[in-house]
Amino acid sequence: MLPILTFKPIYKSVIWGGRRIADFKGIPPQGDRIGESWEISPMPGAESIVAEGPYRGKTLNHMTELFARELLGNKVAERFSGRFPLLVKFIDSTNDLSIQVHPDDDMAKRHCCAPWGKTELWYALESAPDAYLYAGFNHTATPGGVMRCMTEGTLVDKLNRHNISPGDVVLLPAGTVHALGKGSFVVEIQQASDITYRLFDYDRLDDNGNPRPLHIEEALKAIHYDSAPVKVRNVIPSPGKTLEAARSACFSVDVISTAGNYIMDLSQRDSFTILISVEGDFKVSDALGDITILKKGETLLVPAYMPAVRIDGEGRLLSVYI
């Protein structure tokens, strides 16, 4: 029987990172500029490794090769050719991230020989009081207009700026120009793609004193100029309730507020379920009574074949599935 799986986080040091991820998780500092913690990743060169149990030391991709249908679910395994389709991160931005855009599935396949593009979602955690993000244009955009803004140095002024608070949800379809702003601390749920086209990076230099590369031509092709406005909404359920945070063809996200114990019925899902604790510590029990501990700031993977799990504890979790 395939158990609930936990993985070793992969910590990424970046020029805009800080120390809030370690503080949030309640662990020793992992460095002074940790901007990302990759919680579940199938990405080559950064594959998640099982942390505990009989499959300890195995990679996520190895597990999906061994147990594609049991782990992913029949429909997910077929749709994604047995590959794990999502990447989950914590992101701590102590400075503005670059203005960027990601390709959709069609462009990723045609121009990057990649299986899919990158739609993503942010769920705001303990962000600074003045935290913000950019998402979409505040005017009708065209390739020529965007190019002029870049030449004039006014691109940031043409983007919608949203202040964010804990519990805010932002769904960013592929093709949306966006950036996390200074002070943001979020969970990011995304398609398993690392294709990013930078439009503007505030003229910053990397550790070697070189400007980070921009990808203007690719970005102008990737932008969806007719996209609907991006909305920011707060999703914090009352105790004992579950609220839908997002539904998309790429993934779905629910927010669960528990009040003691909660039975999660997974019998009709036919998909793996990722649980992320954003507030509180929990005991997660499978049908055989085996218990997996899920602490604040941790993530676990429930295999698709499990019909239900019991969650004991008080707090708030994200439930992610296809």
Side-chain angles (χ1 to χ4, degrees):
M1 299 292 287
L2 187 63
I4 293 173
L5 298 174
T6 59
F7 298 91
K8 298 177 181 179
I10 302 169
Y11 297 104
K12 301 279 187 174
S13 179
V14 290
I15 60 176
W16 40 262
R19 301 182 67 169
R20 279 187 298 185
I21 292 175
D23 292 342
F24 186 75
K25 287 173 171 283
I27 61 175
Q30 304 298 305
D32 292 329
R33 297 195 303 179
I34 300 300
E36 298 185 353
S37 172
W38 289 24
E39 298 291 301
I40 296 184
S41 166
M43 303 303 294
E47 293 181 44
S48 291
I49 297 174
V50 178
E52 302 290 345
Y55 298 98
R56 180 178 180 177
K58 302 294 186 184
T59 66
L60 173 60
N61 290 342
H62 185 65
M63 295 301 293
T64 56
E65 289 173 5
L66 291 175
F67 306 105
R69 295 187 179 274
E70 296 91 338
L71 182 59
L72 300 177
N74 291 319
K75 67 177 182 181
V76 176
E78 182 175 352
R79 176 181 170 187
F80 297 102
S81 302
R83 290 174 290 190
F84 198 83
L86 300 182
L87 171 60
V88 175
K89 309 173 182 176
F90 289 101
I91 301 179
D92 172 20
S93 60
T94 62
N95 208 334
D96 292 334
L97 274 65
S98 61
I99 306 298
Q100 57 189 240
V101 66
H102 308 297
D104 59 20
D105 290 359
D106 183 59
M107 182 175 179
K109 291 173 183 176
R110 286 188 293 110
H111 295 280
C112 308
C113 297
W116 45 72
K118 185 176 174 182
T119 287
E120 58 192 349
L121 174 142
W122 291 328
Y123 187 83
L125 301 172
E126 298 170 355
S127 299
D130 56 351
Y132 59 91
L133 56 84
Y134 296 108
F137 294 102
N138 58 24
H139 68 295
T140 300
T142 63
V146 173
M147 194 68 210
R148 282 194 299 274
C149 290
M150 295 180 60
T151 302
E152 298 167 357
T154 60
L155 180 62
V156 173
D157 299 331
K158 302 301 182 181
L159 299 176
N160 282 314
R161 173 169 165 157
H162 303 271
N163 293 328
I164 57 170
S165 301
D168 282 351
V169 175
V170 187
L171 179 63
L172 297 162
T176 304
V177 176
H178 64 279
L180 280 174
K182 180 179 179 180
S184 300
F185 182 37
V186 304
V187 176
E188 179 175 279
I189 298 152
Q190 59 161 94
Q191 290 179 277
S193 168
D194 207 22
I195 307 171
T196 297
Y197 300 137
R198 294 193 193 100
L199 286 155
F200 181 61
D201 196 36
Y202 305 94
D203 301 320
R204 286 183 292 211
L205 304 178
D206 62 22
D207 289 337
N208 297 318
N210 300 313
R212 297 204 296 173
L214 301 180
H215 317 93
I216 308 305
E217 181 179 351
E218 297 91 339
L220 292 176
K221 293 178 181 177
I223 294 171
H224 287 190
Y225 296 94
D226 56 351
S227 295
V230 173
K231 297 181 179 179
V232 178
R233 63 191 188 96
N234 196 263
V235 183
I236 300 180
S238 56
K241 301 295 183 181
T242 298
L243 291 177
E244 176 185 302
R247 290 286 183 275
S248 76
C250 302
F251 50 76
S252 296
V253 182
D254 296 335
V255 184
I256 304 167
S257 288
T258 62
N261 64 76
Y262 176 85
I263 304 298
M264 178 180 286
D265 183 0
L266 307 173
S267 59
Q268 302 303 312
R269 186 164 286 185
D270 194 20
S271 166
F272 63 86
T273 299
I274 299 170
L275 293 178
I276 309 163
S277 173
V278 297
E279 180 185 313
D281 299 338
F282 303 91
K283 294 180 180 179
V284 182
S285 306
D286 62 22
L288 297 178
D290 292 329
I291 295 174
T292 303
I293 301 299
L294 178 64
K295 295 183 178 180
K296 178 182 175 182
E298 293 183 346
T299 303
L300 58 76
L301 178 61
V302 180
Y305 83 89
M306 290 189 178
V309 294
R310 173 181 170 130
I311 302 172
D312 290 291
E314 295 186 6
R316 188 161 22 109
L317 307 102
L318 304 186
S319 170
V320 184
Y321 53 97
I322 303 294

